[in-house]
Amino acid sequence: MSDEFEIKNKVASSGLVNFDLTDLVPKGIRKGIDLKDFLFMEMILKEKDFREKVAAIDPDYYADNYVYIYNSADAIVPLWAYFLITAKLTDVTRKIIFGTKEDLEVILMHHAIQQHDFSDLKEKRVLVKGCSDKEIPENAYIELVEKLKPIVKSLMFGEACSNVPIFKN
């Protein structure tokens, strides 16, 4: 085949580095604990009953999982209630937070981005993958730009065939 008809992969030869943020998503099971299940009539916290329900929690069920504690009831829950559940599970979980599953994902991605070594991207042209089969919190993209801006040569978002330039150093 002559050179004039040769198909060249311009993306591969461009020196562009693809970065997929989903690679940083911590693997593991996420489990929620709804405080309404610990309340009398799903409305009132009775300390004795609450302590009994916390004592009945099987730590093995939450072992090595990411746990989020939330309250779907329209009830006021004292802060010490969260302390009791956290004290019960903190030694067996990977991470435990107060908030929604989405809040947990934001915190996990924050930690993953802050701990990741991006030195291999120094002075590179980086394309952050835009489409994913995993849900990534928007805040993760913001934190990623904060981490990459001082070290990369340029940053783009999207796919190689249709990307959006973000900045050039």
Side-chain angles (χ1 to χ4, degrees):
M1 182 180 276
S2 73
D3 286 340
E4 69 183 272
F5 296 112
E6 185 179 336
I7 298 173
K8 294 182 181 180
N9 184 339
K10 291 182 180 180
V11 173
S13 63
S14 71
L16 197 60
V17 177
N18 287 299
F19 186 83
D20 189 350
L21 199 49
T22 62
D23 293 342
L24 297 185
V25 175
K27 292 171 180 37
I29 298 169
R30 279 77 162 145
K31 292 184 179 175
I33 298 174
D34 190 349
L35 286 182
K36 81 170 173 60
D37 300 330
F38 292 74
L39 304 176
F40 175 70
M41 297 177 61
E42 297 182 357
M43 295 187 310
I44 301 167
L45 187 142
K46 290 184 172 181
E47 184 177 349
K48 182 178 183 249
D49 295 344
F50 186 84
R51 286 181 178 275
E52 288 172 359
K53 288 181 180 179
V54 170
I57 293 174
D58 179 10
D60 292 336
Y61 177 75
Y62 297 99
D64 206 30
N65 294 171
Y66 298 103
V67 177
Y68 56 100
I69 303 170
Y70 65 102
N71 181 9
S72 67
D74 189 21
I76 297 171
V77 176
L79 287 175
W80 58 261
Y82 304 107
F83 279 54
L84 285 176
I85 294 174
T86 303
K88 173 82 179 196
L89 297 177
T90 198
D91 293 335
V92 298
T93 62
R94 288 186 180 189
K95 180 75 176 165
I96 186 166
I97 66 132
F98 170 77
T100 63
K101 185 176 182 185
E102 292 77 19
D103 295 332
L104 175 62
E105 295 304 329
V106 168
I107 290 168
L108 292 177
M109 286 304 295
H110 168 77
H111 187 263
I113 290 167
Q114 296 306 312
Q115 298 302 313
H116 187 74
D117 179 11
F118 292 101
S119 61
D120 59 325
L121 299 177
K122 187 171 179 65
E123 296 299 318
K124 300 278 173 72
R125 296 175 60 231
V126 178
L127 173 66
V128 177
K129 185 176 179 182
C131 297
S132 173
D133 53 350
K134 291 182 183 175
E135 183 122 358
I136 303 292
E138 287 86 356
N139 197 62
Y141 291 100
I142 291 169
E143 289 194 49
L144 183 65
V145 172
E146 281 184 316
K147 288 292 262 189
L148 294 180
K149 191 165 192 277
I151 64 169
V152 301
K153 183 175 184 177
S154 65
L155 185 66
M156 291 155 274
F157 177 80
E159 302 302 320
C161 62
S162 62
N163 62 65
V164 177
I166 305 300
F167 69 84
K168 289 182 181 182
N169 283 334

